[in-house]
Amino acid sequence: MIRVGRPSQESVPEKTPRDAARPSLLTPVSSMRSFWGLMRAYWVSDRWKEAWTLTLVIALLTALSSKAGVWFAEASGELVNSIAFFHDAANTTPLRTLLVNAGILVLLVLLKDAGFTGIRNLVSATLHRKWRGWLDSRFNEALLDTNHTHFHAQHASTGSGTPAPDNIDQRVQESIKDMTGGAIGLAMGVFSVFTSFYFVGGALLKSSVEVKGLEFLGSYGSAALALLAVAIYVPFNTWIAVKLGGLLERLNVRMQQAEGSYRGELTTFLRRSFHVAASQGEGVQRTMHGRLYVDIDGTWTRLNIVNTVYMSFELIYNFIGARIVAYGPGLVPFIHNGLDLKGYITGSELVNSLIGQCSWFIHVMPAIATLRANSQRVTELANAIENVQHPQEFYSQTGRSDFHYAAQNPVFGLTIQKLELAHQGEDASPFLSAANLRFRRGEWTFLKGESGCGKTSLIKAINGLWPYGHGTIVFPEGVKSFYAAQEVKLQPVSLKQLVCLPGSEHDHSDAQVAAALYKAGLGDFISHLAEGSREGKSWDQVLSGGQKQKLVVARIVLQQPGLLFLDEATGALDPEGKIAFHQAIKDNCPDVTVISVMHEAVAPRSMTGSEFYHSIVAIADGVATKKPLVPTLPVELTTILAQPRPVEDKWLRFSRRLKQK
């Protein structure tokens, strides 16, 4: 069974690499690798009833809003007519007629804007929230799988010929949020255009009259003239809007990349704030921030210029459309007495409504550009996730990646055969070779070598977290493993949950967790098991580096792994703390196989002077060799043996005299 990648660092996985060597054919985002696949995924998912119910309600409210637009145009014509004939002798109740028509118009505005449009906004916002939440869960599930997709997606820079996705957090949160909102708005706009053509176009045809010069069209003359004006004016300006929108799309993508890089550096800086302060590196950090912001500022400048041009274009377009194109076609029959004032105003308002609905693409082109930019970033992430589902195949595109994982009887422990590690590149020479390494059950092994020789890389390769090289790793069947790294990051959950990771806090009783904390030297925190923070600070902020590493000991004691990897896991502890760290594991994890990397040149010993470790893997000149640990005598015993031994000296002198005689 072949695989690169294994479940969870600093945790006890439920499966070994060979168990996880059966990746599923589909990921939760497999259908979202293209724009249309991303758009329809929610509507064909297990939540399809929810999606389609909300969609149909939005469609119904959109149709009613379009129909209300026709009522509004007719009511506007009635109001203008009552104003024009206010002083007409035939109008016996001019004030009453005027007020009634004005009241009807106000009621229609309330019905359309506060009723149909307002409720539609609420339902569309609900659809936005549901769709975004579903997509967020899909991408989180895809990234946080047992294949370590989140790890491979970030560290495989050129595996598929395209760079790794930058700012994954931004893509999952901001890009998905803006994309779903933009897509819903786009869909509502498209549907509004069709419903407006149906209702408004029908009303125009119904009120159409013959136009001089277009007698061959009969009574459809004025409607044809109005539709022709709309057909010429709107598409031409839409073409201009599309060109400007394409430029806005490219600038939006660039802006997101620049903002993401700056935000990422700020986040990294705040995490290493102490180190910057201790080294007085504020000047360098300030320069770096300034350099990153230059990119934001330059892109923002270009984006503002294009937005200003687009805003001016839109204002001019709206004025010409509402005041000239809408009222122009009806002038011809009005001048020739084919239409009265009421008919002219009603027809012009209908044309204005039609232009407004058809111009929706122009009004929201910046939003459409943002939608395309955001969808591009989301589909790029989906493709990156899909590409690394078979990590060795992915890494093999840029170097040799041929690791084999197998299983054997746990009695034989862990075996490494013909292992070579390299860097990216087809012709890259191996920097570390291990012909045959065997780690027996219960054996403790100390990895020794100069800094940079590949000690950590060897542990990563055993755990499936090194991409390039080849070899065979045979794990003990059914044995859980635990990888403890030097840097410990704690999630913002309760203390009990932190100790119980990767399982649930319900897997162990409070007494078991408390006992593990006590054995790890964190007994002072037993009374705070249920707390997610202390004094407003998360446990990651409360605990020191050494305490975090003791927390790892508590996890080990609680989980009882059979295979333990310590990757400089005691770096933040003092000498006594390192001894206590090892002693807790020795006392509470019988038969555990330990493979450890430490800064020390000599493996630590217990307080009584006995050795924790049984063997050493020495790495020199790129070759890893294993040999038994030569016991060294404790300092106290060496001192005693170096002192004179009077009884022994007297016996030796007596023996010599006997021989002389």
Side-chain angles (χ1 to χ4, degrees):
M1 302 178 184
I2 304 172
R3 129 174 185 84
V4 172
R6 62 181 282 106
S8 108
Q9 295 173 304
E10 299 181 15
S11 64
V12 183
E14 294 297 326
K15 300 178 181 179
T16 60
R18 55 194 177 281
D19 298 322
R22 310 178 184 87
S24 60
L25 297 177
L26 297 176
T27 71
V29 297
S30 293
S31 62
M32 307 178 201
R33 303 177 66 184
S34 65
F35 176 79
W36 290 113
L38 179 63
M39 291 297 107
R40 67 172 174 262
Y42 177 51
W43 278 263
V44 296
S45 70
D46 57 343
R47 302 265 291 275
W48 65 272
K49 291 182 180 179
E50 170 187 271
W52 282 108
T53 298
L54 293 171
T55 301
L56 292 175
V57 172
I58 292 172
L60 175 61
L61 292 170
T62 299
L64 290 174
S65 180
S66 297
K67 182 62 177 178
V70 176
W71 299 336
F72 179 85
E74 293 173 348
S76 296
E78 291 288 349
L79 178 61
V80 171
N81 190 64
S82 63
I83 295 173
F85 293 95
F86 187 85
H87 298 290
D88 192 290
N91 190 355
T92 57
T93 58
L95 184 59
R96 179 176 176 275
T97 303
L98 178 63
L99 292 176
V100 168
N101 288 331
I104 292 173
L105 189 63
V106 170
L107 288 175
L108 286 173
V109 170
L110 292 175
L111 178 65
K112 180 177 182 294
D113 295 340
F116 300 146
T117 305
I119 296 174
R120 185 185 66 171
N121 180 70
L122 177 61
V123 178
S124 64
T126 302
L127 177 61
H128 184 193
R129 178 171 56 84
K130 297 286 187 180
W131 186 16
R132 180 201 174 184
W134 181 81
L135 281 174
D136 185 85
S137 67
R138 296 291 84 195
F139 274 92
N140 272 288
E141 184 176 339
L143 285 167
L144 299 170
D145 59 3
T146 56
N147 184 52
H148 296 312
T149 294
H150 63 95
F151 175 81
H152 297 301
Q154 294 181 87
H155 291 82
S157 57
T158 57
S160 61
T162 56
D166 62 305
N167 305 302
I168 291 178
D169 59 331
Q170 181 192 56
R171 293 172 188 257
V172 173
Q173 289 298 309
E174 296 177 17
S175 296
I176 286 179
K177 178 183 177 182
D178 294 341
M179 181 209 70
T180 48
I184 292 171
L186 174 62
M188 289 194 301
V190 171
F191 191 71
S192 293
V193 171
F194 285 106
T195 55
S196 293
F197 263 111
Y198 179 78
F199 291 116
V200 178
L204 278 173
L205 290 174
K206 185 177 180 180
S207 61
S208 180
V209 297
E210 185 177 302
V211 176
K212 187 175 182 180
L214 298 176
E215 290 84 359
F216 64 93
L217 294 176
S219 61
Y220 297 113
S222 63
L225 198 60
L227 292 174
L228 179 64
V230 173
I232 293 175
Y233 183 69
V234 175
F236 174 72
N237 286 278
T238 301
W239 177 80
I240 297 175
V242 168
K243 293 298 182 182
L244 291 173
L247 183 57
L248 285 172
E249 176 189 350
R250 292 189 293 273
L251 288 173
N252 269 299
V253 171
R254 180 60 196 149
M255 190 67 176
Q256 287 189 26
Q257 292 172 339
E259 291 275 13
S261 297
Y262 187 38
R263 185 182 63 183
E265 179 54 39
L266 280 173
T267 302
T268 303
F269 154 66
L270 293 174
R271 288 175 180 170
R272 62 173 185 240
S273 180
F274 169 77
H275 303 285
V276 173
S279 62
Q280 298 183 2
E282 285 83 359
V284 175
Q285 192 71 42
R286 187 166 54 248
T287 301
M288 187 184 305
H289 289 176
R291 184 171 64 250
L292 289 172
Y293 194 80
V294 166
D295 192 15
I296 294 176
D297 189 65
T299 306
W300 201 358
T301 299
R302 294 190 293 273
L303 187 61
N304 287 339
I305 292 173
V306 177
N307 275 323
T308 301
V309 171
Y310 197 94
M311 182 186 68
S312 301
F313 159 75
E314 187 177 4
L315 290 173
I316 294 171
Y317 171 85
N318 289 339
F319 174 79
I320 294 176
R323 295 291 179 265
I324 298 176
V325 179
Y327 283 84
L331 276 176
V332 178
F334 179 73
I335 291 173
H336 294 90
N337 292 320
L339 283 175
D340 57 10
L341 180 62
K342 174 185 174 181
Y344 172 58
I345 296 298
T346 301
S348 298
E349 285 297 324
L350 287 171
V351 175
N352 188 29
S353 175
L354 187 61
I355 291 175
Q357 295 289 354
C358 294
S359 301
W360 183 88
F361 292 104
I362 295 175
H363 299 322
V364 299
M365 188 56 67
I368 294 175
T370 303
L371 164 65
R372 289 170 58 89
N374 283 308
S375 63
Q376 176 184 332
R377 290 179 68 75
V378 176
T379 54
E380 284 175 355
L381 179 57
N383 277 285
I385 290 172
E386 194 72 15
N387 289 340
V388 299
Q389 290 311 298
H390 300 277
Q392 285 199 115
E393 295 178 12
F394 180 76
Y395 290 122
S396 294
Q397 299 177 52
T398 55
R400 185 176 182 182
S401 182
D402 188 21
F403 295 100
H404 298 255
Y405 293 92
Q408 63 185 3
N409 191 299
V411 172
F412 300 108
L414 173 69
T415 302
I416 298 172
Q417 300 172 343
K418 298 179 181 179
L419 181 69
E420 289 188 344
L421 304 183
H423 294 292
Q424 181 175 317
E426 293 290 344
D427 301 325
S429 301
F431 64 84
L432 177 62
S433 301
N436 188 14
L437 299 178
R438 297 183 183 275
F439 305 92
R440 303 185 310 274
R441 182 170 63 178
E443 181 181 9
W444 287 43
T445 304
F446 176 56
L447 269 62
K448 183 178 181 180
E450 295 182 356
S451 179
C453 68
K455 300 186 294 295
T456 295
S457 301
L458 176 59
I459 291 185
K460 287 181 178 180
I462 295 173
N463 285 272
L465 296 174
W466 187 266
Y468 300 106
H470 66 94
T472 300
I473 297 96
V474 186
F475 278 81
E477 183 70 42
V479 173
K480 293 182 179 181
S481 65
F482 192 107
Y483 188 156
Q486 178 180 14
E487 188 175 8
V488 183
K489 293 294 183 182
L490 304 179
Q491 294 94 326
V493 294
S494 70
L495 180 59
K496 182 180 179 181
Q497 180 67 75
L498 289 173
V499 180
C500 292
L501 288 175
S504 168
E505 59 185 338
H506 304 295
D507 295 338
H508 303 278
S509 66
D510 288 355
Q512 290 174 317
V513 176
L517 284 171
Y518 179 79
K519 293 173 182 178
L522 295 175
D524 293 341
F525 297 99
I526 289 175
S527 59
H528 304 284
L529 288 181
E531 297 178 11
S533 62
R534 288 192 66 186
E535 299 178 355
K537 295 182 179 180
S538 67
W539 287 109
D540 193 60
Q541 297 171 307
V542 171
L543 299 180
S544 66
Q547 288 173 325
K548 291 177 183 178
Q549 292 185 335
K550 289 180 181 180
L551 181 63
V552 172
V553 177
R555 290 180 183 174
I556 296 170
V557 170
L558 185 66
Q559 305 291 353
Q560 292 289 300
L563 189 57
L564 177 59
F565 300 92
L566 303 177
D567 188 3
E568 299 185 6
T570 60
L573 297 171
D574 58 22
E576 291 184 359
K578 293 176 182 178
I579 293 174
F581 183 101
H582 286 80
Q583 193 66 55
I585 297 172
K586 177 72 74 173
D587 294 341
N588 296 282
C589 300
D591 296 328
V592 63
T593 300
V594 179
I595 301 175
S596 176
V597 174
M598 285 181 288
H599 289 299
E600 290 77 4
V602 178
R605 292 172 297 188
S606 69
M607 294 297 292
T608 62
S610 61
E611 298 286 353
F612 287 119
Y613 290 88
H614 308 101
S615 57
I616 290 179
V617 170
I619 300 178
D621 299 325
V623 179
T625 55
K626 185 170 177 284
K627 58 184 179 181
L629 179 66
V630 178
T632 57
L633 296 174
V635 177
E636 297 82 356
L637 185 57
T638 304
T639 304
I640 293 173
L641 293 177
Q643 294 176 353
R645 293 179 292 277
V647 175
E648 182 182 4
D649 293 344
K650 185 182 293 184
W651 171 252
L652 289 174
R653 287 196 299 272
F654 179 72
S655 298
R656 292 193 191 102
R657 285 198 298 269
L658 288 175
K659 289 180 180 179
Q660 290 174 358
K661 292 180 178 181

PDB file of all heavy atoms in Angstrom, residues 5 14 16 31 54 57 121 160 191 238 259 325-326 342 399 483 493-494 503 508 608:
ATOM      1  N   GLY A   5       1.590  10.916   3.541  1.00  0.00           N
ATOM      2  CA  GLY A   5       0.673  11.623   4.415  1.00  0.00           C
ATOM      3  C   GLY A   5       0.094  10.683   5.443  1.00  0.00           C
ATOM      4  O   GLY A   5      -0.174   9.528   5.160  1.00  0.00           O
ATOM      5  N   GLU A  14      -6.382   7.450  14.402  1.00  0.00           N
ATOM      6  CA  GLU A  14      -7.186   6.248  14.451  1.00  0.00           C
ATOM      7  C   GLU A  14      -6.689   5.230  13.434  1.00  0.00           C
ATOM      8  O   GLU A  14      -6.950   4.048  13.541  1.00  0.00           O
ATOM      9  CB  GLU A  14      -8.656   6.597  14.146  1.00  0.00           C
ATOM     10  CG  GLU A  14      -9.305   7.476  15.210  1.00  0.00           C
ATOM     11  CD  GLU A  14      -9.370   6.798  16.551  1.00  0.00           C
ATOM     12  OE1 GLU A  14      -9.545   5.568  16.592  1.00  0.00           O
ATOM     13  OE2 GLU A  14      -9.241   7.487  17.574  1.00  0.00           O
ATOM     14  N   THR A  16      -3.328   3.992  10.760  1.00  0.00           N
ATOM     15  CA  THR A  16      -1.930   4.106  10.374  1.00  0.00           C
ATOM     16  C   THR A  16      -1.883   4.492   8.909  1.00  0.00           C
ATOM     17  O   THR A  16      -2.886   4.442   8.211  1.00  0.00           O
ATOM     18  CB  THR A  16      -1.216   2.760  10.583  1.00  0.00           C
ATOM     19  OG1 THR A  16      -1.871   1.781   9.781  1.00  0.00           O
ATOM     20  CG2 THR A  16      -1.261   2.352  12.041  1.00  0.00           C
ATOM     21  N   SER A  31     -16.855  18.337  -7.080  1.00  0.00           N
ATOM     22  CA  SER A  31     -17.759  18.887  -8.096  1.00  0.00           C
ATOM     23  C   SER A  31     -17.643  20.397  -8.243  1.00  0.00           C
ATOM     24  O   SER A  31     -18.388  20.999  -9.017  1.00  0.00           O
ATOM     25  CB  SER A  31     -19.207  18.531  -7.733  1.00  0.00           C
ATOM     26  OG  SER A  31     -19.569  19.107  -6.480  1.00  0.00           O
ATOM     27  N   LEU A  54     -36.014  27.915  -1.035  1.00  0.00           N
ATOM     28  CA  LEU A  54     -35.659  29.329  -0.937  1.00  0.00           C
ATOM     29  C   LEU A  54     -35.575  29.970  -2.321  1.00  0.00           C
ATOM     30  O   LEU A  54     -35.989  31.119  -2.525  1.00  0.00           O
ATOM     31  CB  LEU A  54     -34.330  29.480  -0.197  1.00  0.00           C
ATOM     32  CG  LEU A  54     -34.351  29.099   1.293  1.00  0.00           C
ATOM     33  CD1 LEU A  54     -32.940  29.068   1.853  1.00  0.00           C
ATOM     34  CD2 LEU A  54     -35.208  30.089   2.078  1.00  0.00           C
ATOM     35  N   VAL A  57     -39.107  30.649  -3.725  1.00  0.00           N
ATOM     36  CA  VAL A  57     -39.726  31.788  -3.055  1.00  0.00           C
ATOM     37  C   VAL A  57     -39.160  33.098  -3.602  1.00  0.00           C
ATOM     38  O   VAL A  57     -39.894  34.068  -3.861  1.00  0.00           O
ATOM     39  CB  VAL A  57     -39.510  31.695  -1.529  1.00  0.00           C
ATOM     40  CG1 VAL A  57     -39.977  32.969  -0.838  1.00  0.00           C
ATOM     41  CG2 VAL A  57     -40.262  30.497  -0.961  1.00  0.00           C
ATOM     42  N   ASN A 121     -35.485  40.330  -0.160  1.00  0.00           N
ATOM     43  CA  ASN A 121     -34.144  40.579   0.377  1.00  0.00           C
ATOM     44  C   ASN A 121     -33.871  39.693   1.600  1.00  0.00           C
ATOM     45  O   ASN A 121     -32.775  39.144   1.756  1.00  0.00           O
ATOM     46  CB  ASN A 121     -34.003  42.055   0.752  1.00  0.00           C
ATOM     47  CG  ASN A 121     -32.626  42.374   1.310  1.00  0.00           C
ATOM     48  OD1 ASN A 121     -31.638  42.367   0.590  1.00  0.00           O
ATOM     49  ND2 ASN A 121     -32.561  42.656   2.600  1.00  0.00           N
ATOM     50  N   SER A 160       1.727  20.623  -9.632  1.00  0.00           N
ATOM     51  CA  SER A 160       0.889  20.475 -10.814  1.00  0.00           C
ATOM     52  C   SER A 160       1.173  21.538 -11.857  1.00  0.00           C
ATOM     53  O   SER A 160       0.404  21.731 -12.775  1.00  0.00           O
ATOM     54  CB  SER A 160      -0.583  20.556 -10.402  1.00  0.00           C
ATOM     55  OG  SER A 160      -0.849  21.805  -9.811  1.00  0.00           O
ATOM     56  N   PHE A 191     -33.313  36.808 -13.616  1.00  0.00           N
ATOM     57  CA  PHE A 191     -34.724  36.445 -13.580  1.00  0.00           C
ATOM     58  C   PHE A 191     -35.607  37.686 -13.676  1.00  0.00           C
ATOM     59  O   PHE A 191     -36.674  37.662 -14.291  1.00  0.00           O
ATOM     60  CB  PHE A 191     -35.038  35.668 -12.305  1.00  0.00           C
ATOM     61  CG  PHE A 191     -36.396  35.035 -12.310  1.00  0.00           C
ATOM     62  CD1 PHE A 191     -36.664  33.940 -13.123  1.00  0.00           C
ATOM     63  CD2 PHE A 191     -37.419  35.536 -11.514  1.00  0.00           C
ATOM     64  CE1 PHE A 191     -37.922  33.350 -13.137  1.00  0.00           C
ATOM     65  CE2 PHE A 191     -38.667  34.961 -11.520  1.00  0.00           C
ATOM     66  CZ  PHE A 191     -38.928  33.862 -12.340  1.00  0.00           C
ATOM     67  N   THR A 238     -23.944  47.713 -22.432  1.00  0.00           N
ATOM     68  CA  THR A 238     -23.560  46.516 -21.687  1.00  0.00           C
ATOM     69  C   THR A 238     -22.193  46.016 -22.143  1.00  0.00           C
ATOM     70  O   THR A 238     -21.383  45.554 -21.330  1.00  0.00           O
ATOM     71  CB  THR A 238     -24.611  45.410 -21.850  1.00  0.00           C
ATOM     72  OG1 THR A 238     -25.878  45.889 -21.384  1.00  0.00           O
ATOM     73  CG2 THR A 238     -24.233  44.162 -21.069  1.00  0.00           C
ATOM     74  N   GLU A 259      -3.745  42.091  -0.444  1.00  0.00           N
ATOM     75  CA  GLU A 259      -4.283  42.200   0.917  1.00  0.00           C
ATOM     76  C   GLU A 259      -3.986  40.941   1.725  1.00  0.00           C
ATOM     77  O   GLU A 259      -3.639  41.006   2.905  1.00  0.00           O
ATOM     78  CB  GLU A 259      -5.800  42.432   0.860  1.00  0.00           C
ATOM     79  CG  GLU A 259      -6.221  43.784   0.307  1.00  0.00           C
ATOM     80  CD  GLU A 259      -6.220  44.865   1.375  1.00  0.00           C
ATOM     81  OE1 GLU A 259      -5.672  44.630   2.464  1.00  0.00           O
ATOM     82  OE2 GLU A 259      -6.771  45.949   1.098  1.00  0.00           O
ATOM     83  N   VAL A 325     -33.998  58.040 -23.830  1.00  0.00           N
ATOM     84  CA  VAL A 325     -34.398  56.794 -24.488  1.00  0.00           C
ATOM     85  C   VAL A 325     -35.798  56.377 -24.051  1.00  0.00           C
ATOM     86  O   VAL A 325     -36.601  55.895 -24.867  1.00  0.00           O
ATOM     87  CB  VAL A 325     -33.374  55.677 -24.160  1.00  0.00           C
ATOM     88  CG1 VAL A 325     -33.784  54.357 -24.805  1.00  0.00           C
ATOM     89  CG2 VAL A 325     -31.993  56.077 -24.631  1.00  0.00           C
ATOM     90  N   ALA A 326     -36.142  56.562 -22.754  1.00  0.00           N
ATOM     91  CA  ALA A 326     -37.453  56.139 -22.276  1.00  0.00           C
ATOM     92  C   ALA A 326     -38.568  57.007 -22.830  1.00  0.00           C
ATOM     93  O   ALA A 326     -39.642  56.498 -23.186  1.00  0.00           O
ATOM     94  CB  ALA A 326     -37.477  56.159 -20.748  1.00  0.00           C
ATOM     95  N   LYS A 342     -51.769  60.863 -20.950  1.00  0.00           N
ATOM     96  CA  LYS A 342     -51.756  59.726 -20.044  1.00  0.00           C
ATOM     97  C   LYS A 342     -51.086  58.514 -20.687  1.00  0.00           C
ATOM     98  O   LYS A 342     -50.251  57.832 -20.077  1.00  0.00           O
ATOM     99  CB  LYS A 342     -53.195  59.375 -19.636  1.00  0.00           C
ATOM    100  CG  LYS A 342     -53.315  58.107 -18.813  1.00  0.00           C
ATOM    101  CD  LYS A 342     -54.780  57.770 -18.556  1.00  0.00           C
ATOM    102  CE  LYS A 342     -54.916  56.424 -17.868  1.00  0.00           C
ATOM    103  NZ  LYS A 342     -56.333  56.053 -17.627  1.00  0.00           N
ATOM    104  N   GLY A 399       9.524  15.502  -8.892  1.00  0.00           N
ATOM    105  CA  GLY A 399      10.615  14.801  -8.223  1.00  0.00           C
ATOM    106  C   GLY A 399      10.215  13.359  -7.983  1.00  0.00           C
ATOM    107  O   GLY A 399       9.090  12.940  -8.280  1.00  0.00           O
ATOM    108  N   TYR A 483       2.920  11.713  17.235  1.00  0.00           N
ATOM    109  CA  TYR A 483       4.009  12.578  16.774  1.00  0.00           C
ATOM    110  C   TYR A 483       3.974  13.852  17.607  1.00  0.00           C
ATOM    111  O   TYR A 483       3.038  14.637  17.524  1.00  0.00           O
ATOM    112  CB  TYR A 483       3.818  12.898  15.295  1.00  0.00           C
ATOM    113  CG  TYR A 483       4.966  13.626  14.611  1.00  0.00           C
ATOM    114  CD1 TYR A 483       5.141  13.535  13.240  1.00  0.00           C
ATOM    115  CD2 TYR A 483       5.871  14.410  15.317  1.00  0.00           C
ATOM    116  CE1 TYR A 483       6.169  14.198  12.586  1.00  0.00           C
ATOM    117  CE2 TYR A 483       6.902  15.078  14.689  1.00  0.00           C
ATOM    118  CZ  TYR A 483       7.045  14.970  13.327  1.00  0.00           C
ATOM    119  OH  TYR A 483       8.074  15.635  12.690  1.00  0.00           O
ATOM    120  N   VAL A 493     -10.100  25.576  22.852  1.00  0.00           N
ATOM    121  CA  VAL A 493     -11.129  24.702  23.415  1.00  0.00           C
ATOM    122  C   VAL A 493     -10.813  24.490  24.891  1.00  0.00           C
ATOM    123  O   VAL A 493      -9.831  25.017  25.418  1.00  0.00           O
ATOM    124  CB  VAL A 493     -11.186  23.355  22.656  1.00  0.00           C
ATOM    125  CG1 VAL A 493     -11.641  23.558  21.223  1.00  0.00           C
ATOM    126  CG2 VAL A 493      -9.825  22.659  22.681  1.00  0.00           C
ATOM    127  N   SER A 494     -11.626  23.688  25.570  1.00  0.00           N
ATOM    128  CA  SER A 494     -11.413  23.463  27.001  1.00  0.00           C
ATOM    129  C   SER A 494     -10.122  22.691  27.242  1.00  0.00           C
ATOM    130  O   SER A 494      -9.606  21.999  26.356  1.00  0.00           O
ATOM    131  CB  SER A 494     -12.598  22.704  27.595  1.00  0.00           C
ATOM    132  OG  SER A 494     -12.610  21.368  27.137  1.00  0.00           O
ATOM    133  N   GLY A 503      -9.189  12.710  20.099  1.00  0.00           N
ATOM    134  CA  GLY A 503     -10.533  12.218  20.351  1.00  0.00           C
ATOM    135  C   GLY A 503     -11.411  13.278  20.988  1.00  0.00           C
ATOM    136  O   GLY A 503     -11.042  14.444  21.110  1.00  0.00           O
ATOM    137  N   HIS A 508     -12.943  10.118  27.609  1.00  0.00           N
ATOM    138  CA  HIS A 508     -12.230   9.873  28.862  1.00  0.00           C
ATOM    139  C   HIS A 508     -12.937  10.621  29.998  1.00  0.00           C
ATOM    140  O   HIS A 508     -13.479  11.708  29.793  1.00  0.00           O
ATOM    141  CB  HIS A 508     -10.775  10.340  28.762  1.00  0.00           C
ATOM    142  CG  HIS A 508     -10.013   9.696  27.637  1.00  0.00           C
ATOM    143  ND1 HIS A 508      -9.436   8.459  27.719  1.00  0.00           N
ATOM    144  CD2 HIS A 508      -9.749  10.145  26.375  1.00  0.00           C
ATOM    145  CE1 HIS A 508      -8.840   8.162  26.581  1.00  0.00           C
ATOM    146  NE2 HIS A 508      -9.016   9.170  25.744  1.00  0.00           N
ATOM    147  N   THR A 608      18.344   8.186  38.737  1.00  0.00           N
ATOM    148  CA  THR A 608      19.174   7.133  39.337  1.00  0.00           C
ATOM    149  C   THR A 608      20.378   6.794  38.469  1.00  0.00           C
ATOM    150  O   THR A 608      21.202   5.968  38.854  1.00  0.00           O
ATOM    151  CB  THR A 608      18.332   5.862  39.542  1.00  0.00           C
ATOM    152  OG1 THR A 608      17.867   5.396  38.262  1.00  0.00           O
ATOM    153  CG2 THR A 608      17.137   6.146  40.437  1.00  0.00           C
TER     154      THR A 608
END
